């Protein structure tokens, strides 16, 4: 196949593939001749631009419109040029501030003397695809391109026919070179098309690029670009410019993702990173006590990274997110209504919003239509000073909005410059005309250089015309596009007498400019970099003809360090970031019922922690005009005396309140845990403070104490009465029968048993603790010793064959005393050793404090075996008494002495066997009460069983109180 036929066969495919490049702004690739540039705009459309020529032209990208239609690529026809909608007056002010700064620098005889700075500014529409289209149109534009193409075409046309190169062949070669580029791009995939185009175009031009003619990106006629506002378009543009080292200085893109210098090596900004704004917002929200907030964002990178960082840091500070709403790029009515419903249902009254005013407009309009109030809005810097949202219909909804903004200044001469802008039919004035129609709600119609009707603008003012120089390119196409924009709505014709000074909009509000000031600083940063790069001296001369690359400008831009006329130092750190300074802005109504942005504090991210946030709470107006800080909480904080109990499956800010248990307190509102009181302390009735624990012991004034004392006194009185009766009838046979001396000793020991119970009642002391167990042990052993002797005497008397038998003589009174002494002595020795070795002592026992709330004052026994030995010895004597009495239960005794002793011992054993488990299990003072009860019960058992029957005979049946009755010979 011949070369010609091969080229011709690919023409159709080349034309189809070429259409794809129009989506990214590259409409033609030429390779004819080594002297031609490698990128040519051969399309039939031109992007609108505001331009002024100069020795160096700075690019500018501003979001004049905030609604851009989604691109519709069928890949079967060339994409049409779509128009953005939603004109932003504030963004237009930013654009004109750049023009103002450039003109101010050109008038400055010391910064760039003898050197003119130009600009080429375009509309990015605040979207990724429109920003990339605008970028390629911006950096590839050159008047030299058009003129050189025309010149080369004419030159080729004048060549002889036999030269071998015709015009058709030139076009064919152009198409072939373009086809090869497109084919290679398709193989690489759509994801990296833009970068691939740049790289391959650069490769194509190596060695053939003319020094006087620019190429697509490498050697761009625009060595630096100022832009953009949103983070997602900024990332796309920065990623595109980075490999070519073309500086991109942003005035409003704050995403932390742009800090990565490996991905965005040529990106710098005059606005602080969201890293500092997020830290400040978290400090602000927590400082105001808001722990339950909702977040609202969009799908762009600015919102995504901002919300994510805020959420993480807010949760680390103990906060909770009620919900997160994401506003899509083109939300439907149903989606907007669903988000509005969610906001109305939520208990969160504070909303943290990372978005722009254009993205919020539909949602806020829906909320305003529903008359929603009471929401405290916390705004990011993207919309906190947006005048678009300050219209009266938003006042009930947005009054009291609080947020971070960049420090505002009043730039001298800026307001006069902005008010001097006038519409014009001249090419390049389209943006001004759009603004004029949007602001005044009219439609401009020109006839030549005059307004069509009632126009007072006969000829554009020379000063106004100097603001904007006509752009180059296809004017007819631009005018057609502009006419399409104008015919979008039917409006009255502008008269031309409209005056900007009588308008009130975000364009003319320059009392405290913030984003405009960032634009201003960006222009001056580039100017100072050029000042150093061009070696401008104090004599007012710069090396005007010095050639330089974008990389050289970028290096000098990174090193700029100057002070503005507002005494602010401007420099970039290693990440291309400025000093993080913010103002805290509050939306307040003035006397004219209009919203004003009032500074109520500031945040310095470079200050020490704890000194970064400075705010005057008393000057803040909150939502609905309130003077008190709004409350936003999922659950009301638990009052003192209670704690939070988290609800399962919900954030920790949603909880129920439970009262603290006894012995625990919480003395702060919102306590998550109750604090246990120290030992010997107890919580008060409200569980808010610990008080000295109430001491509990068996008191003489307790009901139980009174009953036990009464029983003790009764026992003592009965014992005394019986002793008196026995003493009165001590010479009768029934008293003399078992040795009256032992009977009196037994009565004495029983009296001691009754009295020793009193030692157990009352507050324990050192002496009562030592005396109580010893008195109890010795008195009972003495009592049982007497019973043991009486039992032995009874057995001996009735076992003898005759009176005066040897058994009675062997166990006479002296032996009886000796036995009593011998059986009592071991208990005395045991108690003495116990008291000397490990004596009991008063002890405040907190064991039962948790259940009763009281501290039991008791006698602590450091050697518990001592008590059980004492009790065990008593049990041994009781067992011997029971055994001997049981053996003599059938003796012929008229008075049933042995039977009575047996019965009394059974009662004694029953009492003390039941005493042991009751003693162990009884809490607090009831332990002492159980022991007293056992003492009294066993004492009463002995007293009543042994002595009452004898008193009955002595007092009521004296006829039986004879000697015969003792042997059972007396008839009953």
């Amino acid at each position: 196949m011949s070369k010609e036929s091969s080229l011709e066969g690919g023409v159709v495919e080349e034309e189809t593939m070429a259409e794809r490049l129009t989506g990214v702004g590259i409409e033609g690739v030429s390779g004819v001749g080594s002297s031609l540039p490698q990128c040519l705009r051969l399309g039939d459309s031109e992007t609108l631009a505001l331009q002024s020529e100069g020795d160096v032209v700075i690019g500018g990208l501003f979001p004049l419109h905030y609604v851009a239609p989604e691109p519709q690529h069928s890949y079967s026809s060339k994409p049409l040029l779509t128009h953005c909608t939603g004109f932003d007056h504030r963004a237009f002010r930013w654009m004109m501030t750049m023009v103002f700064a450039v003109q101010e620098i050109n008038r400055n005889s010391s910064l760039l003397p003898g050197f003119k700075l130009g600009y080429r500014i375009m509309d990015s529409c605040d979207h990724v695809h429109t920003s990339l289209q605008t970028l390629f149109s911006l950096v590839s534009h050159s008047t030299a391109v058009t003129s050189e193409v025309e010149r080369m075409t004419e030159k080729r046309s004048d060549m002889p026919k036999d030269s071998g190169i015709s015009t058709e062949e030139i076009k064919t070669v152009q198409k072939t070179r373009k086809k090869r580029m497109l084919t290679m791009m398709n193989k690489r995939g759509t994801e990296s098309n833009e970068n691939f185009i740049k790289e391959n175009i650069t490769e194509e031009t190596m060695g053939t690029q003319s020094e006087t003619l620019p190429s697509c990106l490498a050697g761009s006629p625009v060595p630096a670009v100022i832009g953009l506002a949103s983070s997602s378009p900024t990332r796309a543009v920065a990623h595109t410019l980075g490999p070519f080292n073309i500086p991109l200085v942003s005035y409003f893109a704050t995403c932390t993702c742009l800090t990565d210098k490996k991905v965005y090596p040529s990106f710098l900004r005059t606005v602080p990173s969201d890293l500092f704004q997020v830290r400040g917002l978290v400090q602000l929200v927590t400082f105001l006590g808001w722990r339950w907030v909702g977040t609202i964002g969009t799908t762009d990178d600015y919102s995504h990274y901002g919300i994510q960082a805020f959420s993480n840091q807010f949760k680390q500070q103990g906060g909770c997110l009620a919900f997160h709403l994401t506003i899509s790029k083109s939300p439907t009515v149903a989606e907007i209504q669903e988000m509005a419903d969610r906001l109305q249902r939520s208990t969160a009254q504070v909303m943290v919003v990372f978005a722009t005013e254009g993205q919020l407009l539909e949602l806020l309009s829906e909320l305003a239509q529903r008359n929603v109030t009471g929401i405290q809005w916390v705004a990011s810097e993207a919309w906190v000073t947006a005048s678009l949202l300050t219209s009266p219909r938003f006042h009930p909804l947005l009054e009291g909005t609080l947020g971070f903004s960049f420090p505002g200044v009043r730039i001298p001469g800026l307001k006069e410059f902005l008010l001097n802008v006038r519409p014009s039919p001249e090419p390049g004035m389209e943006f001004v005309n759009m603004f004029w129609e949007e602001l005044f709600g009219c439609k401009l119609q020109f006839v030549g250089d005059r307004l069509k009707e009632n126009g007072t603008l006969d000829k554009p003012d020379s000063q106004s015309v100097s603001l904007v120089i006509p752009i180059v390119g296809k004017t007819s196409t631009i005018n057609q596009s502009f006419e399409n924009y104008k015919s979008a709505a039917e409006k009255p014709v502008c008269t031309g007498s409209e005056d900007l000074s009588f308008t009130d909009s975000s364009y003319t509000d320059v009392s405290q400019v913030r984003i405009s000031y960032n634009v201003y600083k960006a222009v001056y940063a580039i100017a100072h970099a050029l000042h150093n790069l061009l070696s401008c001296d104090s004599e007012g001369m710069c090396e005007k003809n010095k050639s330089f690359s974008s990389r050289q400008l970028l290096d000098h831009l990174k090193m700029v360090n100057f002070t503005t006329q507002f005494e602010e130092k401007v420099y970039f750190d290693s990440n291309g970031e400025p000093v993080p300074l913010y103002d805290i802005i509050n939306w307040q109504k003035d006397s004219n019922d209009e919203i004003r942005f009032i500074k109520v504090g500031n945040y310095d991210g470079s200050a020490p922690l704890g000194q970064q946030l400075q705010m005057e709470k008393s000057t803040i107006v909150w939502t609905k005009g309130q003077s008190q800080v709004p409350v936003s909480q999922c659950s009301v904080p638990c009052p003192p005396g209670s704690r939070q109990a988290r609800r399962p499956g919900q954030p920790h800010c949603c909880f129920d309140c439970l009262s603290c248990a006894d012995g625990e307190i919480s003395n702060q509102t919102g306590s998550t845990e109750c604090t246990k009181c120290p030992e010997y302390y107890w919580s008060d009735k409200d569980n808010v403070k610990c008080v000295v624990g109430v001491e509990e012991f068996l008191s003489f004034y307790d009901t139980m104490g009174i009953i036990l004392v009464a029983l003790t006194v009764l026992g003592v009185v009965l014992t005394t009465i019986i002793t008196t009766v026995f003493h009165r009838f001590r010479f009768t046979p029934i008293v003399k029968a078992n040795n009256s001396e032992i009977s009196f000793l037994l009565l004495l020991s029983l009296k001691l048993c009754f009295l020793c119970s009193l030692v157990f009642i009352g507050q324990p002391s050192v002496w009562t603790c030592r005396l109580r167990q010893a008195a109890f042990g010795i008195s009972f052993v003495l009592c049982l010793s007497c019973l043991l002797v009486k039992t032995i005497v009874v057995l001996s008397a009735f076992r003898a064959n005759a009176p005066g038998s040897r058994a009675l003589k062997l166990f006479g009174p002296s032996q009886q005393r000796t036995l009593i002494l011998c059986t009592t002595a071991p208990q005395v020795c045991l108690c003495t050793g116990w008291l000397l070795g490990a004596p009991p002592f008063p002890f405040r026992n907190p064991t039962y404090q948790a259940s009763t709330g009281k501290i039991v004052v008791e006698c602590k026994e450091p050697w518990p075996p001592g008590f059980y030995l004492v009790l065990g010895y008593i049990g041994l004597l009781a067992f011997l008494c029971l055994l001997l009495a049981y053996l003599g239960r059938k003796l012929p005794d008229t008075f049933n002495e042995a039977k009575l002793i047996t019965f009394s011992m059974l009662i004694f054993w029953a009492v003390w066997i039941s005493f042991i488990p009751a003693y162990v299990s009884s809490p607090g003072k009831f332990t002492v009460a159980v022991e007293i009860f056992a003492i009294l019960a066993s004492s009463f058992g002995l007293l009543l069983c042994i002595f009452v029957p004898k008193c009955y005979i002595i007092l009521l049946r004296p006829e039986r109180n004879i000697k015969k009755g003792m042997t059972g010979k007396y008839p009953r």
Side-chain angles (χ1 to χ4, degrees):
M1 185 179 294
S2 65
K3 181 177 180 181
E4 290 78 10
S5 60
S6 176
L7 293 173
E8 291 171 358
V11 169
V12 176
E13 180 182 357
E14 292 160 7
E15 290 176 347
T16 302
M17 292 295 293
E19 295 171 357
R20 301 187 184 182
L21 279 177
T22 61
V24 292
I26 303 299
E27 300 186 9
V29 180
S30 175
V32 181
S34 60
S35 62
L36 281 178
Q38 300 303 306
C39 289
L40 303 176
R41 295 188 58 83
L42 302 178
D44 57 356
S45 63
E46 180 72 41
T47 305
L48 300 179
L50 190 66
Q51 175 174 303
S52 173
E53 297 299 334
D55 298 313
V56 171
V57 176
I58 302 175
L61 297 175
F62 294 87
L64 291 187
H65 297 86
Y66 50 82
V67 179
E70 291 292 333
Q72 302 293 331
H73 296 309
S74 64
Y75 300 101
S76 59
S77 60
K78 182 177 179 178
L80 298 176
L81 182 63
T82 57
H83 302 286
C84 304
T85 58
F87 195 87
D88 191 343
H89 296 177
R90 189 167 64 142
F92 184 68
R93 167 161 50 86
W94 302 342
M95 173 187 286
M96 299 310 296
T97 301
M98 178 176 172
V99 175
F100 169 79
V102 170
Q103 293 191 6
E104 188 177 73
I105 291 170
N106 289 335
R107 292 193 300 267
N108 190 333
S109 60
S110 61
L111 186 55
L112 292 174
F115 192 89
K116 183 180 180 182
L117 204 59
Y119 53 81
R120 178 171 170 79
I121 306 173
M122 309 182 83
D123 181 10
S124 68
C125 289
D126 205 30
H127 281 70
V128 174
H129 66 279
T130 53
S131 297
L132 286 175
Q133 287 177 348
T134 306
L135 170 69
F136 284 106
S137 178
L138 173 68
V139 299
S140 63
H141 177 83
S142 174
T143 56
V145 173
T146 305
S147 61
E148 184 66 10
V149 170
E150 294 174 353
R151 184 182 64 81
M152 292 300 297
T153 302
E154 293 174 357
K155 180 178 179 181
R156 297 301 183 187
S157 300
D158 295 336
M159 287 182 179
K161 293 184 178 180
D162 58 353
S163 62
I165 302 176
S166 65
T167 304
E168 289 76 9
E169 288 180 339
I170 293 175
K171 295 180 179 179
T172 302
V173 172
Q174 291 175 346
K175 293 181 179 180
T176 304
R177 182 69 61 88
K178 179 168 65 175
K179 175 184 177 183
R180 184 176 63 182
M181 181 67 66
L182 294 172
T183 303
M184 294 176 66
M185 184 186 73
N186 281 337
K187 292 181 180 179
R188 291 288 295 272
T190 59
E191 182 173 329
S192 57
N193 281 350
E194 293 87 345
N195 290 337
F196 177 74
I197 292 169
K198 294 179 293 185
E199 294 168 1
N200 284 276
I201 290 174
T202 304
E203 292 174 1
E204 288 289 326
T205 57
M206 293 295 290
T208 62
Q209 178 177 321
S210 173
E211 293 182 359
T212 61
L213 294 176
S215 63
C216 270
L217 290 178
S220 167
V222 177
V225 179
I226 294 176
L228 299 86
S230 299
S231 295
S232 291
T234 303
R235 290 183 68 187
V237 171
H239 196 276
T240 303
L241 296 179
F244 300 95
N245 296 308
I246 299 177
L248 176 65
V249 185
S250 175
Y251 49 84
F252 206 11
T254 58
C255 181
T256 55
C257 54
L258 290 164
T259 305
D260 190 351
K261 293 295 105 178
K262 293 182 180 179
V263 181
Y264 312 104
S266 65
F267 176 77
L268 303 96
R269 51 185 164 192
T270 55
V271 57
S273 165
D274 277 336
L275 173 68
F276 301 100
Q277 181 185 200
V278 166
R279 289 177 184 173
L281 286 174
V282 171
Q283 290 186 32
L284 174 68
V285 171
T286 54
F287 173 75
L288 295 173
W290 296 329
R291 302 288 179 175
W292 181 243
V293 304
T295 56
I296 300 176
T298 61
T299 57
D300 59 16
D301 294 317
Y302 164 75
S303 177
H304 174 73
Y305 283 92
I307 292 294
Q308 185 180 45
F310 175 83
S311 301
N312 294 336
Q313 295 185 31
F314 185 54
K315 289 177 181 178
Q316 292 175 2
Q317 297 297 322
C320 301
L321 293 183
F323 60 86
H324 172 67
L325 299 180
T326 300
I327 304 174
S328 60
K329 291 183 179 179
S330 300
T332 62
V333 175
E335 291 174 341
I336 292 296
Q337 291 178 346
E338 183 180 354
M339 286 188 283
D341 293 338
R342 183 70 183 276
L343 282 169
Q344 286 186 288
R345 290 195 308 266
S346 176
T347 58
Q349 300 301 312
V350 176
M351 302 296 153
V352 178
V353 184
F354 277 78
T356 62
E357 63 272 27
Q359 295 166 330
L360 290 173
L361 190 59
E362 293 183 48
L363 175 60
L364 296 180
S365 297
E366 176 68 21
L367 294 174
Q369 184 178 356
R370 297 187 182 192
N371 198 26
V372 175
T373 59
I375 297 177
Q376 178 62 53
W377 300 91
V378 178
S380 65
E381 91 294 331
W383 67 280
V384 73
T385 56
S387 298
L388 179 66
L389 302 177
T390 59
S391 60
R393 67 183 179 124
F394 292 125
H395 287 185
L397 177 65
L398 298 179
E399 183 186 7
T401 295
L402 203 64
F404 276 28
S405 180
F406 312 116
V409 298
R410 186 182 184 92
I411 301 176
L414 177 61
K415 185 169 185 177
E416 293 75 12
F417 175 83
L418 296 178
L419 295 178
N420 202 30
V421 171
R422 291 290 183 274
S424 171
E426 295 292 337
M429 295 293 288
E430 288 82 5
F431 291 145
V432 177
N433 296 342
M434 288 180 190
F435 162 71
W436 198 270
E437 291 183 337
E438 180 71 23
L439 181 63
F440 294 106
C442 59
K443 182 170 57 177
L444 289 169
Q445 291 185 359
F446 295 101
V447 178
D449 58 353
R450 296 173 179 269
L451 286 176
K452 185 175 181 180
E453 296 179 2
N454 301 326
T456 58
L457 187 64
D458 295 334
K459 188 176 183 61
D461 183 73
S462 59
Q463 186 176 1
S464 300
V465 173
S466 68
L467 295 177
V468 185
I469 306 300
I471 65 170
V472 297
K474 301 185 178 180
T475 306
S476 59
T477 303
I478 299 174
N479 290 336
Q480 181 181 359
S481 300
F482 181 56
E483 288 299 322
N484 292 337
Y485 177 88
K486 292 195 298 179
S487 61
E490 292 296 330
K491 300 177 181 178
V493 178
C494 300
T495 64
S497 61
E498 296 87 2
D499 192 346
L500 290 175
S501 60
F502 296 107
T503 61
D504 185 12
S505 69
S506 57
Y507 173 76
T508 56
D509 183 11
V510 293
S511 57
Q512 289 288 312
V513 293
R514 294 174 171 84
I515 314 303
S516 298
Y517 181 46
N518 291 339
V519 175
Y520 187 82
K521 289 187 290 186
V523 176
Y524 266 87
I526 294 175
H528 278 272
L530 288 171
H531 175 88
N532 297 329
L533 180 60
L534 299 176
S535 304
C536 298
D537 53 28
S538 57
E539 297 178 358
M541 293 299 295
C542 297
E543 296 182 13
K544 185 174 181 180
N545 297 324
K546 180 180 180 180
S547 62
F548 61 89
S549 64
S550 298
R551 176 58 181 269
Q552 291 175 303
L553 178 60
L554 176 62
D555 292 338
H556 282 77
L557 190 56
K558 291 179 179 179
M559 295 184 292
V560 296
N561 192 333
F562 64 95
T563 303
T564 67
Q565 58 178 313
F566 310 103
E567 302 301 322
E568 179 185 349
K569 283 194 173 184
V570 178
Y571 61 90
F572 302 103
D573 62 13
S574 59
N575 292 322
E577 309 281 352
V579 178
L581 297 173
Y582 295 92
D583 288 342
I584 301 176
I585 301 301
N586 185 218
W587 290 27
Q588 301 181 10
K589 284 186 179 181
D590 60 9
S591 57
N592 297 325
D593 204 32
E594 295 180 351
I595 292 292
R596 297 298 178 190
F597 306 133
I598 306 301
K599 178 181 176 181
V600 294
N602 60 78
Y603 177 82
D604 184 358
S606 61
L609 191 63
Q611 303 177 13
Q612 298 174 341
L613 184 69
Q614 305 291 334
M615 189 167 61
E616 294 291 338
K617 291 176 65 175
S618 59
T619 62
I620 299 176
V621 174
W622 307 99
T623 178
K624 296 194 297 187
Q626 298 174 350
S627 58
Q628 297 296 323
V629 180
V631 176
S632 181
Q633 52 197 15
C634 180
S635 300
V636 178
C638 295
S642 61
R643 65 175 179 85
Q644 299 175 1
R646 185 173 175 179
R647 297 172 185 168
Q650 297 189 27
H652 66 84
C653 296
C654 301
F655 50 82
D656 297 316
C657 295
L658 300 179
S659 297
C660 292
D662 292 337
E664 296 181 346
I665 64 164
S666 65
N667 53 12
Q668 293 181 347
T669 301
S671 297
T672 57
E673 296 292 338
C674 296
T675 305
K676 190 175 182 180
C677 289
E679 192 175 19
Y680 307 128
Y681 283 81
W682 197 245
S683 57
D684 61 356
K685 62 178 182 178
D686 296 324
N687 291 55
V688 296
K689 64 179 180 179
C690 292
V691 296
V692 178
V694 178
E695 295 181 347
E696 183 183 49
F697 52 86
L698 187 59
S699 171
F700 288 102
Y701 305 102
D702 292 343
T703 302
M704 186 177 296
I706 293 173
I707 292 174
L708 293 175
V709 170
L711 292 175
T712 300
V713 173
L714 178 61
V716 173
V717 171
L718 287 176
T719 305
T720 303
I721 293 173
I722 292 173
T723 302
T724 303
V725 171
F726 267 57
H727 184 268
R728 173 67 179 80
F729 298 95
R730 60 184 179 280
F731 299 110
T732 59
I734 198 170
V735 178
K736 294 173 61 177
N738 290 324
N739 193 341
S740 59
E741 183 180 346
I742 296 177
S743 296
F744 286 112
L745 185 59
L746 178 59
L747 288 169
L748 176 63
S749 64
L750 285 173
K751 188 179 291 186
L752 292 176
C753 288
F754 282 116
L755 292 174
C756 77
S757 62
L758 297 176
V759 185
F760 288 85
I761 304 175
Q763 183 172 2
S765 63
V766 175
W767 291 107
T768 56
C769 286
R770 294 184 179 185
L771 182 61
R772 60 170 58 174
Q773 299 295 359
F776 157 70
I778 294 173
S779 60
F780 263 86
V781 165
L782 180 60
C783 178
L784 292 175
S785 298
C786 294
L787 284 177
L788 181 61
V789 171
K790 286 178 68 69
T791 305
I792 294 175
V793 170
V794 171
L795 289 176
S796 300
F798 287 96
R799 294 293 181 182
N801 294 326
S805 66
R806 190 176 179 181
L808 289 174
K809 292 181 180 179
L810 292 176
F811 198 69
S814 58
Q815 287 80 11
Q816 294 172 14
R817 298 189 193 98
T818 303
L819 181 59
I820 292 174
L821 180 62
C822 291
T823 53
T824 306
Q827 186 77 314
V828 174
C829 295
L830 180 60
C831 290
T832 303
W834 181 23
L835 296 178
L836 293 177
F841 57 89
F843 172 67
R844 303 173 71 198
N845 187 0
T847 304
Y848 306 104
Q849 194 173 16
S851 57
T852 65
K854 297 178 181 179
I855 300 172
V856 178
V857 183
E858 61 185 13
C859 292
K860 184 176 180 63
E861 299 167 356
W863 191 53
F867 173 71
Y868 294 110
L869 287 174
V870 169
L871 198 60
Y873 187 71
I874 294 173
L876 177 62
L877 293 180
F879 176 74
L880 291 176
C881 290
L882 178 61
L883 180 62
L884 294 177
Y886 181 78
L887 293 176
R889 70 187 183 284
K890 294 183 180 182
L891 294 176
D893 182 6
T894 303
F895 310 112
N896 299 318
E897 186 74 14
K899 290 181 181 180
L900 295 176
I901 294 175
T902 301
F903 188 67
S904 65
M905 285 297 99
L906 289 175
I907 295 175
F908 185 90
W909 271 103
V911 170
W912 288 101
I913 288 175
S914 62
F915 158 77
I916 294 175
Y919 180 84
V920 172
S921 61
S922 297
K925 65 180 181 181
F926 297 102
T927 303
V928 179
V930 167
E931 187 170 359
I932 296 174
F933 176 79
I935 293 172
L936 294 177
S938 56
S939 300
F940 274 110
L942 292 174
L943 180 65
L944 297 178
C945 290
I946 295 175
F947 292 100
V948 170
K950 292 181 175 59
C951 291
Y952 173 75
I953 293 174
I954 291 172
L955 297 177
L956 300 178
R957 301 293 297 271
E959 67 277 8
R960 296 177 58 183
N961 190 7
I962 58 176
K963 188 174 182 181
K964 289 182 179 181
M966 297 301 299
T967 59
K969 296 178 180 181
Y970 181 80
R972 301 187 179 185

